[in-house]
Amino acid sequence: MQIARGFPRVHEGRFALPLVERRILLMVLDLLAVNGALWIWLHLRPEIVVRPPHWFLLVSVLYLLAAFVFDAYEPRVSVRFPSTALTVAKAGLMAAALFLLIPYLPPPLPTARSLLFAFPLLALAALVGGRGLYALIFTRPAFQRRTLIIGAGWAGRTIAEALSSYGDGSYEIVGFVDDDPAKHGARIAWKEGEARPVLGDRHRLPELIAAHRIDTLVLAITHDVDGQLLQMLADCLELGVEILPMPVLYEQLTGQVPVEHVGDNWYVAMPLSHPLTRTINRAIKRGMDLILASLGMLVLAVLFPFIALAIYLDSPGPIFYTQERVGKGGRVFRVYKFRSMVPDAEKGRAVWAQENDPRVTRVGRILRRTHLDEFPQFWNILKGEMSAVGPRPERPEFVEELAREIPFYRVRHAVKPGMAGWALVKYGYASSKEDALIRLQYDLYYIKHWSPWLDLVILCKTVVDTLTFRGRA
């Protein structure tokens, strides 16, 4: 059934880049900016004749790391010039400072102050200029992906809201398609002031694609795709349209797996063959854990006398606090922490920690904001019970309750729990079942997309949170 023949292809004369390609373009622009700034800086210094390639490689790696730490490639950041300029400015300053402070690897520091500060200033000017050009060009309608959402139910509204909140102009929602005749002509709202009509059913897809110059179809249905719809989608592919399942696009936009919207497509949320099922990846991660935990234990040995004295003077009682948590494979272990609450704070029953919890001591509040209360967990890492990065371990009482109410909750036990985590740096600590659901969506994303680079980004984000006192209150 070749329904699509006779309709024109939709991409002619348009420049609507997919989300992944936009991110790649931004990375290229940023790397051109920082490397161009370095090239100019080196040419301002006549004493430097040889310019080894590793100088440019080093500044590129440092900048990309800083850019990911400050979320410079999130769609909602990149299109708004004030936010994107501030983000790349912070990333550029961080990268330039690290580049200049690292011994031996970068070029020698100049003796003149003007030349010392020239590189950061050149980098900032080039980065901000490049992002300004990007924001000016790619907010135009010709560069927006005109989008049709297949499914006008809960999943359709959810992805529409995500596109509106996180896509930030990259996608223009034209309308919905749904097979329910009762919805045809109705306007589907996903938030106040934002609504689009249901334009018809699946049989009108080729016609709608041609009439509205559609670039992207989002498949937001929670049941299996039947043979007829599959054929319709194949015909739409022939027109040059990008087709994305709702969970895949949602992951790209938010860094979360939408566990409530996968429906029969459970394999989208279930990381059946995630990276840490491979032996080499587990070995790499364990090696990183041992190095980081060993360094952490050295820092802990230096800080311990001061922290212990402060805890005891502020609230006499035990220095350490241990608690049962659920680890990889559902195994229960005891986690170690510096005590940050008054003694016997829970009175024998499990209680969710709250923001500005009155049970937290004055010293405990400082320890939490700087994450210092977690430092004894380096011992858990050395023992192999935890990892430096992973889903935060939860208490057995909460796990039993949450597993009954939240789909796929136990999947987070497929990897070792961590001191730092994707959910922690993106959302924070959980203090309710609703928070636990959102954190699970981040945890599943981390499990599905694990890499040493992602771990490094999470660790750097955690360090920034620690230095800026953005831990728990």
Side-chain angles (χ1 to χ4, degrees):
M1 183 171 61
Q2 300 295 328
I3 302 175
R5 299 193 184 280
F7 290 100
R9 295 184 179 273
V10 298
H11 292 297
E12 297 173 4
R14 289 177 52 76
F15 309 94
L17 296 177
L19 190 62
V20 174
E21 292 181 14
R22 282 177 174 251
R23 284 175 173 160
I24 293 173
L25 176 61
L26 279 173
M27 290 181 200
V28 171
L29 288 174
D30 287 353
L31 291 178
L32 286 174
V34 293
N35 282 279
L38 178 59
W39 186 85
I40 294 172
W41 184 59
L42 293 174
H43 277 76
L44 293 175
R45 302 174 59 184
E47 78 277 10
I48 296 181
V49 179
V50 179
R51 302 172 182 89
H54 76 263
W55 289 353
F56 296 91
L57 178 62
L58 178 62
V59 77
S60 298
V61 172
L62 289 175
Y63 176 76
L64 284 178
L65 181 59
F68 276 98
V69 167
F70 290 108
D71 298 322
Y73 300 115
E74 287 196 1
R76 59 177 174 176
V77 172
S78 57
V79 184
R80 297 177 182 173
F81 180 69
S83 61
T84 197
L86 178 62
T87 299
V88 295
K90 291 189 290 187
L93 284 175
M94 179 178 173
L98 291 173
F99 182 75
L100 295 174
L101 291 173
I102 292 175
Y104 307 117
L105 291 178
L109 296 178
T111 54
R113 291 183 183 177
S114 58
L115 285 178
L116 180 64
F117 292 105
F119 172 55
L121 292 177
L122 285 168
L124 287 182
L127 286 166
V128 172
R131 287 303 182 102
L133 186 63
Y134 178 90
L136 179 66
I137 294 175
F138 283 89
T139 53
R140 297 176 181 272
F143 292 92
Q144 293 178 319
R145 297 195 68 79
R146 294 175 62 80
T147 303
L148 199 60
I149 299 174
I150 303 175
W154 187 21
R157 293 194 301 272
T158 299
I159 194 60
E161 184 177 2
L163 286 169
S164 178
S165 300
Y166 295 92
D168 201 24
S170 303
Y171 292 83
E172 179 189 356
I173 301 173
V174 175
F176 295 83
V177 168
D178 199 284
D179 288 338
D180 184 357
K183 295 180 180 178
H184 294 174
R187 294 181 66 81
I188 305 299
W190 55 89
K191 65 179 181 181
E192 188 175 354
E194 295 283 353
R196 294 293 184 276
V198 177
L199 300 173
D201 60 17
R202 66 175 70 182
H203 301 289
R204 293 198 62 199
L205 277 173
E207 173 192 343
L208 293 172
I209 289 170
H212 296 279
R213 296 177 299 145
I214 300 299
D215 302 290
T216 299
L217 291 177
V218 180
L219 192 60
I221 56 176
T222 56
H223 54 78
D224 286 334
V225 176
D226 59 54
Q228 185 188 55
L229 180 56
L230 186 62
Q231 180 60 59
M232 297 292 300
L233 295 176
D235 292 335
C236 294
L237 279 174
E238 188 179 349
L239 293 172
V241 178
E242 174 191 43
I243 300 177
L244 291 173
M246 177 268 189
V248 172
L249 181 57
Y250 192 87
E251 283 186 36
Q252 293 179 2
L253 290 167
T254 67
Q256 300 172 257
V257 174
V259 295
E260 292 185 297
H261 301 285
V262 298
D264 294 338
N265 304 315
W266 54 268
Y267 48 85
V268 176
M270 188 80 74
L272 296 177
S273 182
H274 61 85
L276 288 173
T277 59
R278 294 187 276 277
T279 303
I280 183 63
N281 288 338
R282 291 199 303 271
I284 292 171
K285 188 167 178 62
R286 183 59 180 160
M288 293 174 62
D289 286 343
L290 290 174
I291 293 171
L292 291 169
S294 299
L295 294 174
M297 290 297 287
L298 290 176
V299 174
L300 179 60
V302 174
L303 297 179
F304 175 75
F306 306 100
I307 295 175
L309 182 61
I311 291 173
Y312 187 79
L313 291 177
D314 184 41
S315 173
I319 303 302
F320 292 105
Y321 177 68
T322 66
Q323 195 176 68
E324 286 191 341
R325 297 292 175 97
V326 179
K328 182 180 178 181
R331 290 186 292 271
V332 177
F333 68 99
R334 297 201 73 84
V335 71
Y336 301 96
K337 301 175 68 173
F338 282 123
R339 181 171 60 86
S340 60
M341 291 187 176
V342 297
D344 195 25
E346 293 190 321
K347 296 181 175 59
R349 61 188 181 93
V351 180
W352 288 102
Q354 301 295 326
E355 189 77 16
N356 298 315
D357 199 314
R359 299 171 297 169
V360 179
T361 64
R362 290 172 297 180
V363 170
R365 211 167 293 280
I366 297 172
L367 294 176
R368 286 173 166 230
R369 286 201 176 278
T370 57
H371 296 291
L372 287 173
D373 63 320
E374 312 278 359
F375 271 39
Q377 291 167 32
F378 285 121
W379 178 242
N380 290 111
I381 296 175
L382 288 176
K383 290 170 64 180
E385 297 166 333
M386 291 181 62
S387 175
V389 181
R392 287 294 298 161
E394 196 51 82
R395 302 180 63 175
E397 300 91 332
F398 293 151
V399 168
E400 291 299 324
E401 182 181 356
L402 294 171
R404 287 194 299 268
E405 300 184 22
I406 299 176
F408 308 108
Y409 187 80
R410 290 190 181 274
V411 177
R412 66 199 303 274
H413 300 145
V415 299
K416 290 180 182 178
M419 282 182 63
W422 184 241
L424 192 60
V425 296
K426 298 293 285 186
Y427 185 73
Y429 290 87
S431 58
S432 66
K433 295 175 186 177
E434 292 74 18
D435 290 341
L437 172 60
I438 296 173
R439 283 170 53 86
L440 172 66
Q441 295 181 147
Y442 283 115
D443 288 336
L444 292 180
Y445 179 90
Y446 170 79
I447 295 171
K448 290 180 68 176
H449 300 279
W450 176 88
S451 68
W453 176 259
L454 181 57
D455 272 4
L456 186 58
V457 169
I458 292 170
L459 288 170
C460 290
K461 279 179 169 287
T462 304
V463 170
V464 171
D465 286 350
T466 298
L467 295 176
T468 53
F469 300 93
R470 288 201 292 235
R472 288 180 297 176

